[in-house]
Amino acid sequence: MTPPAHSLLKSDDRTRRRRASEARFRACGLAAIGIAALALAVLLTSVLANGAGAFRQTYIKLQIPLPEASLDKAGQRDPAAMAKVSTFGYAALLHAALLDRIAALQIETELADQDVAAMISKEAAATLRDHVLANPHLIGGMAAMDVLAAGRIDGYFKGRVTLKSAAMDGNTSPQALQLARKLADADVIETRFNWRFLTAPDASDQRPEAAGLGVAMLGSLYMMLVVLALALPVGVAASIYLEEFAPRSRISDLIEVNISNLAAVPSIVFGILGLAVFINFAGMRQSSPLVGGLVLTLMTLPTIIISTRAALKSVPPSIRDAALALGASRMQAVFHHVLPLAAPGILTGTILGLAQALGETAPLLLIGMVAFVRDYPVAYSDTAGLFGDAATALPVQVFNWTQRADPGFAERASGAIITLLVFLAVMNTAAILLRRRFERRW
Amino acid sequence: MIRNLDMAPSLPALVIGLAVLASFAAQMRARAASGGDLRNLASLPGPHGANAFLSVLVPAIASYAALSLVRLIGDRQGVELLSAHSVPVAVLVVAALGCGGAISVSTARFRARAAFEWWIKSLLIAAAAVAVLTTLGIVLSMLFEAVQFFQQYHWRDFFLSSKWSPNFRGNSALGILPLLWGTLYISFIALLLAVPVGLFAAIYLSEYAGRRMRNVAKPLIEILAGIPTIVYGLFALTTIGPVLRDYFAQPLGLGDSASSVMTAGLVMGIMLIPFVSSLSDDAINAVPQAMRDGSYALGATRSETIRQVVIPAALPGIMGAALLAASRAIGETMIVVLGAGAAARLSLNPLEAMTTITVKIVSQLTGDTDFASPETLVAFALGLTLFVFTLGLNVLALMIVRKYRERYE
Amino acid sequence: MKDIDVIERSRAGARQKISARNVQVRYGHTAAIKNVSVDIAADTVTAFIGPSGCGKSTFLRCLNRMNDTIDTCRVTGEIRIDDEDIHDPKVDPVQLRAKVGMVFQKPNPFAKSIYDNVAYGPKIHGLARTKAELGDIVKVALEKAALWDEVKDRLDSPGTGLSGGQQQRLCIARAIATAPQVLLMDEPCSALDPIATAQIEELIHDLRRNYCVVIVTHSMQQAARISQKTAFFHLGSLVEYGDTDQVFTAPRDSRTESYITGRIG
């Protein structure tokens, strides 16, 4: 064993090799960070690129004559009689209005009249009908209205549909797109911000241009209310018991192990539980926000319990001792002194739990929240009870739209994701701010 | 079913009314017993009232829940164990007893605060029990339905058959093996991406990165963790799947499906990166600095120290992280529903569409089939298998991690 | 350059191993070491004593550039080992630390077997060409550390399973196995019981023949027992440096006297 005799100032081969391997290792680490960052960037860009279009919508500005002869033959403005005129009657009016407009602008087109009519969304007739039924005084005059353009026309103005793709598409034609371009130049067709996307209910398979998130957002809101109302008190109570009162025993050990395992149970298992227990056994309503909320409550409970316990643990024992020394009972020490100090931590954990619940999809599929729902659910009704009305949820709506054939729905799905991510970003930011604001070092 | 059980709208009002009544009466009795000087009382009137309030409310709610459960069980068996009217009547009787009892014990020497706290503690215990009940509910509900399935379909065919082709007219082949294969194959690819990347990211952030880099990179990776799985699913469907198909599968002649094991595996791997990295980070940070110093003092480079000292010391924690990640991968649903495909297949080609246990649970339970048919019930057997599988992994992981923590504490 | 080297060497004497000039250490904005200059001889045990927080450990950690691993720490001044500036950009701290071994206050064995703990250094520095050679290095190191007889039958069991004193001797064996010329010891006995301390002290006594040993200690008795030279640090400065006998019996500085008579520290 001879000591290395060489000078420190001269680097030997071995050291050079070791330094090279060091550099390689370090590069691997940097590459890992790079992969993660790249994945995030690609993911967000792809969602934004695909979904931004959902927030813009193409409308056709029309002056629609509303002749009494076809809309209210009796002339009595009797709602029941007027309702007899179906959407077909209104569709004809829309078509005529568009054709008149094209003629008035002296735009030449080789398109057959029925193909021109197809440029208007099928949803438009229903919208016009609702508008007229709500405002009977319009009959006999003209209604100025911006009606939805058909999905392909809408896609053309967003770059999704091109002249080339239209040539192979049975639902539109290059001529229709050219006509649309001319109409846009004449300011008859306009693409603008799409409020309807956030408020309107879902639409049928043929009408992606009309589909919106209104019902889904309402359903998600109801479920979050249920989760908040149940998971917060139950989670906090359970944490207080486990952290402050539970004797160190087999049973509390069991509960503890149980909670950490429950936190790692696949979410779909909670869906099976919901289906078997709440719907099949207890006979609660399918697709209802109540059942969805209950399932999500059970799913988020472990998250909330774990973070609440951490918050309780971070309150130093001296606070408890001080209260106990003044003659407070342990219950009073916890509720009067420990809990208020732990509140910001508990709140942070709850918000994060809610965020997790908001994005959860799989269990909701099993309890029937994939159903097609067009009516806004009400919070309480005599027949369905509290939160019993059928609804969907934001993430489930995304899934729903991915399963539809029309490419317009792919855009809507990504748009819904953007909406969902905005909500999640707001919730997480709130949690972070809350943590910063109240972070306390003892 | 539940409609028969619906409480008369007045029942909650009656119970709360009784509770308020009991509360006031108990306070008045206590006040009267004090003879004008509250110091004569063992507890102040407030706790007397609170105790009485809970003495009515808690037993009433508990009895309502218990009786409803009995009725529901009866319903399922097709017998009426309790008539619809007996439930509210019984609840009211319980509430009245609580009311009377609470008022009568409110004397000067009654330690109302202790009694009130006893009620609160019972409520806390009940809340803690919810977690246990959930587990119990999961196991029992799946077991119950799975037993029904195995009465109609032989367990050997389920666990050992390599054919999965459900048929609405009956006579389905429901072998779990192709689903299990798809699940494990996808999870394997996911871990192949997530474990090295997550581990290296954790190593870089905890051992190399400066403060500024850490402040940027850590939240960035945490964002990945906060993104819901449906987003990853859509990413697989609209971006990764088509790219893999157009640039790999078709040129290589390995298939022409956008949904494939690779698509789902890669995207799931991305999803798991932050999970692995944060758990590994914990494990690496738990290795005492003194151990690193010992290695540096011997003339080891950073990477030698990490590879030969830090990682071996943190290995149990890292293994635990990988196991938990595996359990997540196996139970993940939305990414595979949107990215893996629906065809049950036993193949080695990673660019082919295959399916998983979770995909089939969703498809069998969202179809329109008869609920008592084996085609639907098989979902519960699948669910039970999944649950047992993931539970095993979780317990193993938690055991390893826990043991490891004890070593350095 | 060459001339200066020659002058330096002749002044310091042939047996001079380490020479430090005007060394300053700052942690952020606080100065931990102020202008310390000291020459340390080879084949000698040199003890650094002083009250806690006086900077003796910080100075020790300068000698093998362990302070490099602390982000906020800045070292200035010149330290030469065998007349080579250890802060020269051409010096790789990895090679320096192979030459200057270190034993820490708390025993810090790796989470590996006893054998692997000792074999770690030789492996990374490529000191053994064959497995047998490596085995020999491990055996010799453990023998020198007076641990061989206690562990020879369980070289595969984890190093963390040994007793505190055994762990510390394992750490010494680990340091020796890398074949250093200087051995830095940072209060190596402070976490040990008296019996283990006695064993380590005996060991240091033997090590002196082959190594330049620098030991930081809290205990003046220990310094008196094992060292030939003693340096007294106070508030980041080197107050007195001389033969151990002289420092303890006839301190030149009043602060040294106060310390060794127990009035400060």
Side-chain angles (χ1 to χ4, degrees):
Chain A
M1 196 174 67
T2 49
H6 55 72
S7 156
L8 284 177
L9 296 171
K10 271 183 254 146
S11 180
D12 58 358
D13 274 355
R14 188 179 175 82
T15 313
R16 270 197 292 278
R17 276 204 305 279
R18 285 170 66 197
R19 282 294 167 196
S21 129
E22 166 79 19
R24 279 197 300 277
F25 190 79
R26 197 185 166 125
C28 282
L30 205 54
I33 305 268
I35 289 175
L38 181 74
L40 181 65
V42 173
L43 175 76
L44 292 182
T45 335
S46 114
V47 168
L48 279 178
N50 290 330
F55 293 91
R56 297 184 61 72
Q57 193 66 47
T58 306
Y59 292 88
I60 305 176
K61 297 186 209 166
L62 290 179
Q63 295 287 330
I64 307 146
L66 300 171
E68 190 168 30
S70 55
L71 298 181
D72 188 18
K73 285 197 185 100
Q76 302 296 313
R77 301 287 186 272
D78 172 22
M82 284 162 58
K84 281 193 185 125
V85 180
S86 73
T87 49
F88 286 110
Y90 286 93
L93 297 177
L94 285 168
H95 299 163
L98 179 58
L99 287 169
D100 285 353
R101 195 70 203 268
I102 292 170
L105 288 166
Q106 296 182 315
I107 295 173
E108 297 281 326
T109 176
E110 314 143 29
L111 227 51
D113 283 359
Q114 74 199 49
D115 291 334
V116 173
M119 290 170 67
I120 301 172
S121 165
K122 294 189 176 66
E123 187 76 12
T127 317
L128 177 63
R129 180 168 176 267
D130 291 344
H131 184 62
V132 171
L133 290 183
N135 305 290
H137 65 270
L138 292 173
I139 293 180
M142 298 280 267
M145 209 175 164
D146 296 354
V147 299
L148 283 169
R152 294 295 195 282
I153 304 297
D154 180 43
Y156 175 57
F157 287 103
K158 294 172 186 167
R160 194 177 71 233
V161 177
T162 60
L163 293 174
K164 212 166 137 200
S165 76
M168 294 177 289
D169 191 340
N171 287 320
T172 188
S173 62
Q175 289 81 6
L177 300 186
Q178 280 156 353
L179 174 61
R181 172 63 67 202
K182 285 178 193 157
L183 285 172
D185 292 341
D187 211 23
V188 176
I189 287 184
E190 184 190 63
T191 306
R192 59 170 187 254
F193 189 77
N194 186 11
W195 279 111
R196 278 183 51 97
F197 180 59
L198 298 176
T199 56
D202 194 7
S204 67
D205 285 5
Q206 308 296 318
R207 304 173 184 173
E209 66 276 4
L213 287 171
V215 170
M217 290 213 276
L218 210 52
S220 278
L221 173 71
Y222 289 165
M223 285 196 289
M224 290 307 109
L225 290 177
V226 174
V227 173
L228 189 64
L230 292 177
L232 182 60
V234 173
V236 171
S239 314
I240 290 178
Y241 177 71
L242 292 174
E243 201 54 47
E244 307 281 342
F245 295 101
R248 288 273 145 251
S249 68
R250 273 261 174 79
I251 294 179
S252 55
D253 261 8
L254 183 82
I255 298 180
E256 205 133 315
V257 170
N258 183 45
I259 288 173
S260 30
N261 275 320
L262 217 48
V265 166
S267 62
I268 189 153
V269 169
F270 286 95
I272 299 179
L273 172 78
L275 177 65
V277 171
F278 297 131
I279 293 178
N280 284 347
F281 180 71
M284 292 159 103
R285 285 169 155 254
Q286 274 215 335
S287 321
S288 68
L290 180 62
V291 175
L294 282 171
V295 168
L296 293 179
T297 298
L298 295 181
M299 211 191 73
T300 33
L301 211 48
T303 316
I304 292 185
I305 291 180
I306 289 170
S307 60
T308 302
R309 292 188 62 182
L312 291 174
K313 232 181 226 147
S314 72
V315 177
S318 57
I319 302 273
R320 295 174 186 80
D321 294 344
L324 293 178
L326 290 174
S329 67
R330 276 176 68 188
M331 196 69 75
Q332 286 173 319
V334 170
F335 279 90
H336 296 171
H337 300 280
V338 178
L339 206 53
L341 288 173
I346 295 172
L347 209 56
T348 310
T350 308
I351 294 176
L352 293 179
L354 280 181
Q356 183 197 343
L358 181 61
E360 194 53 62
T361 320
L364 301 182
L365 298 181
L366 300 192
I367 54 166
M369 296 205 87
V370 263
F372 179 70
V373 183
R374 262 193 75 82
D375 299 319
Y376 294 102
V378 292
Y380 179 85
S381 74
D382 284 340
T383 47
L386 192 63
F387 297 130
D389 243 7
T392 57
L394 260 179
V396 182
Q397 190 69 69
V398 174
F399 171 72
N400 219 332
W401 283 342
T402 61
Q403 303 299 302
R404 307 230 180 127
D406 194 307
F409 280 109
E411 172 197 281
R412 300 273 148 170
S414 291
I417 290 274
I418 294 175
T419 316
L420 178 63
L421 288 180
V422 166
F423 279 119
L424 292 178
V426 168
M427 290 168 90
N428 281 290
T429 314
I432 292 169
L433 291 181
L434 204 66
R435 191 181 292 160
R436 289 242 176 99
R437 171 85 178 69
F438 290 100
E439 202 165 49
R440 204 190 294 250
R441 301 208 178 273
W442 301 99
Chain B
M1 277 181 272
I2 191 119
R3 254 163 282 130
N4 306 337
L5 268 173
D6 258 1
M7 33 193 162
S10 50
L11 183 59
L14 274 174
V15 170
I16 292 175
L18 265 176
V20 172
L21 180 81
S23 165
F24 275 113
Q27 287 189 52
M28 271 160 60
R29 238 178 85 94
R31 235 175 254 284
S34 72
D37 186 355
L38 288 180
R39 279 173 297 182
N40 293 334
L41 293 176
S43 293
L44 292 172
H48 279 273
N51 173 52
F53 188 79
L54 290 181
S55 305
V56 176
L57 209 59
V58 178
I61 293 173
S63 60
Y64 178 77
L67 293 175
S68 303
L69 191 68
V70 170
R71 264 187 62 83
L72 280 170
I73 291 173
D75 255 11
R76 270 216 95 153
Q77 308 296 327
V79 280
E80 193 173 52
L81 293 175
L82 288 168
S83 74
H85 298 293
S86 58
V87 175
V89 171
V91 170
L92 277 181
V93 170
V94 170
L97 283 177
C99 179
I103 295 172
S104 66
V105 295
S106 285
T107 56
R109 292 171 61 190
F110 178 55
R111 297 186 174 280
R113 199 170 87 180
F116 162 67
E117 289 184 354
W118 186 86
W119 283 117
I120 293 284
K121 198 165 167 181
S122 317
L123 286 176
L124 296 183
I125 293 178
V130 168
V132 181
L133 286 179
T134 307
T135 309
L136 213 63
I138 288 173
V139 173
L140 285 184
S141 65
M142 287 200 299
L143 211 57
F144 187 79
E145 309 280 1
V147 164
Q148 290 206 321
F149 169 70
F150 286 122
Q151 281 166 355
Q152 299 178 38
Y153 195 88
H154 199 284
W155 65 267
R156 204 180 299 145
D157 292 337
F158 174 69
F159 283 113
L160 300 175
S161 157
S162 61
K163 190 154 182 281
W164 173 274
S165 60
N167 190 333
F168 291 118
R169 290 181 298 274
N171 232 345
S172 306
L174 300 171
I176 195 176
L177 287 183
L179 310 186
L180 198 59
W181 169 247
T183 305
L184 295 179
Y185 200 176
I186 291 171
S187 307
F188 175 72
I189 291 180
L191 291 181
L192 219 54
L193 173 67
V195 171
V197 172
L199 183 58
F200 264 109
I203 287 173
Y204 191 84
L205 287 180
S206 60
E207 305 281 327
Y208 285 105
R211 180 132 43 101
R212 205 174 309 158
M213 169 89 175
R214 230 191 323 256
N215 284 349
V216 175
K218 257 202 172 155
L220 220 65
I221 293 181
E222 272 165 24
I223 291 178
L224 276 179
I227 292 177
T229 57
I230 179 77
V231 182
Y232 285 103
L234 191 71
F235 182 53
L237 184 75
T238 60
T239 310
I240 299 288
V243 166
L244 283 180
R245 180 193 56 204
D246 297 344
Y247 295 96
F248 294 93
Q250 283 175 343
L252 295 172
L254 287 172
D256 42 22
S257 156
S259 38
S260 69
V261 170
M262 202 48 133
T263 306
L266 287 183
V267 173
M268 201 188 280
I270 295 173
M271 177 195 85
L272 291 175
I273 288 173
F275 191 68
V276 174
S277 116
S278 79
L279 287 175
S280 311
D281 198 48
D282 292 347
I284 288 171
N285 283 329
V287 176
Q289 181 62 31
M291 225 182 248
R292 293 182 181 83
D293 284 347
S295 173
Y296 294 140
L298 288 172
T301 60
R302 245 174 225 271
S303 64
E304 283 161 355
T305 305
I306 294 162
R307 271 186 309 204
Q308 300 184 40
V309 174
V310 177
I311 302 276
L315 199 59
I318 294 170
M319 295 247 295
L323 285 178
L324 284 177
S327 139
R328 271 223 164 170
I330 289 172
E332 173 49 42
T333 308
M334 292 324 292
I335 294 178
V336 284
V337 164
L338 292 174
R345 195 177 278 141
L346 272 165
S347 155
L348 276 174
N349 179 359
L351 292 168
E352 229 173 333
M354 283 178 222
T355 198
T356 70
I357 295 179
T358 49
V359 171
K360 287 303 159 194
I361 291 176
V362 171
S363 67
Q364 297 312 106
L365 284 180
T366 48
D368 288 328
T369 40
D370 171 21
F371 206 83
S373 71
E375 287 75 24
T376 306
L377 288 173
V378 69
F380 293 95
L382 291 173
L384 196 61
T385 316
L386 180 72
F387 180 72
V388 170
F389 234 88
T390 51
L391 188 73
L393 282 173
N394 295 339
V395 170
L396 194 65
L398 287 176
M399 256 164 50
I400 292 176
V401 171
R402 198 179 258 208
K403 210 164 200 173
Y404 166 70
R405 259 193 218 135
E406 279 162 9
R407 186 143 39 116
Y408 291 116
E409 261 168 19
Chain C
M1 191 66 199
K2 210 69 198 156
D3 293 336
I4 300 169
D5 274 2
V6 173
I7 296 164
E8 286 263 315
R9 199 172 297 151
S10 65
R11 189 169 57 84
R15 293 175 65 232
Q16 217 60 289
K17 191 75 184 172
I18 306 168
S19 98
R21 290 288 171 271
N22 303 327
V23 175
Q24 299 204 29
V25 180
R26 306 183 73 83
Y27 288 108
H29 294 291
T30 44
I33 297 284
K34 304 165 194 155
N35 254 332
V36 169
S37 299
V38 67
D39 290 317
I40 294 168
D43 304 335
T44 316
V45 177
T46 305
F48 290 175
I49 59 168
S52 45
C54 68
K56 52 194 191 303
S57 288
T58 304
F59 184 68
L60 191 77
R61 289 168 67 96
C62 291
L63 299 180
N64 65 345
R65 287 180 60 181
M66 272 302 277
N67 285 329
D68 288 15
T69 58
I70 300 166
D71 284 343
T72 54
C73 187
R74 292 280 165 275
V75 181
T76 54
E78 191 190 53
I79 298 172
R80 302 178 83 87
I81 292 179
D82 285 340
D83 241 357
E84 291 174 331
D85 182 1
I86 66 168
H87 289 113
D88 190 291
K90 277 183 285 192
V91 170
D92 192 327
V94 163
Q95 281 177 294
L96 170 70
R97 290 177 197 146
K99 191 170 172 175
V100 183
M102 187 166 199
V103 176
F104 295 81
Q105 186 169 1
K106 264 199 194 156
N108 54 354
F110 304 136
K112 295 166 174 283
S113 71
I114 293 172
Y115 182 92
D116 286 335
N117 258 285
V118 183
Y120 177 70
K123 263 190 206 159
I124 56 176
H125 293 293
L127 299 185
R129 258 156 298 171
T130 62
K131 264 204 155 148
E133 235 178 272
L134 187 64
D136 286 342
I137 293 178
V138 171
K139 181 164 183 263
V140 171
L142 283 169
E143 278 170 351
K144 280 197 187 169
L147 192 61
W148 175 251
D149 290 334
E150 290 163 59
V151 300
K152 65 181 177 208
D153 301 324
R154 47 173 174 148
L155 290 174
D156 287 335
S157 54
T160 41
L162 297 171
S163 73
Q166 286 174 324
Q167 284 191 10
Q168 194 61 301
R169 275 180 286 153
L170 178 65
C171 291
I172 294 175
R174 194 172 71 183
I176 292 171
T178 322
Q181 298 167 21
V182 180
L183 204 52
L184 309 176
M185 301 181 132
D186 188 358
E187 302 193 33
C189 302
S190 66
L192 303 181
D193 61 57
I195 296 172
T197 303
Q199 283 171 324
I200 303 273
E201 285 183 7
E202 199 174 322
L203 184 58
I204 294 169
H205 192 76
D206 293 341
L207 291 174
R208 183 194 141 197
R209 267 170 291 174
N210 299 316
Y211 305 93
C212 163
V213 178
V214 184
I215 180 168
V216 165
T217 176
H218 219 77
S219 144
M220 284 172 283
Q221 291 88 339
Q222 186 174 55
R225 279 196 300 268
I226 59 175
S227 70
Q228 289 80 50
K229 291 272 195 179
T230 295
F232 172 64
F233 285 78
H234 189 229
L235 300 176
S237 310
L238 178 63
V239 173
E240 183 159 354
Y241 179 46
D243 288 339
T244 301
D245 289 343
Q246 172 256 311
V247 172
F248 278 99
T249 52
R252 288 187 210 109
D253 195 290
S254 60
R255 284 169 293 176
T256 318
E257 195 183 349
S258 305
Y259 181 67
I260 57 179
T261 52
R263 264 177 280 158
I264 55 171

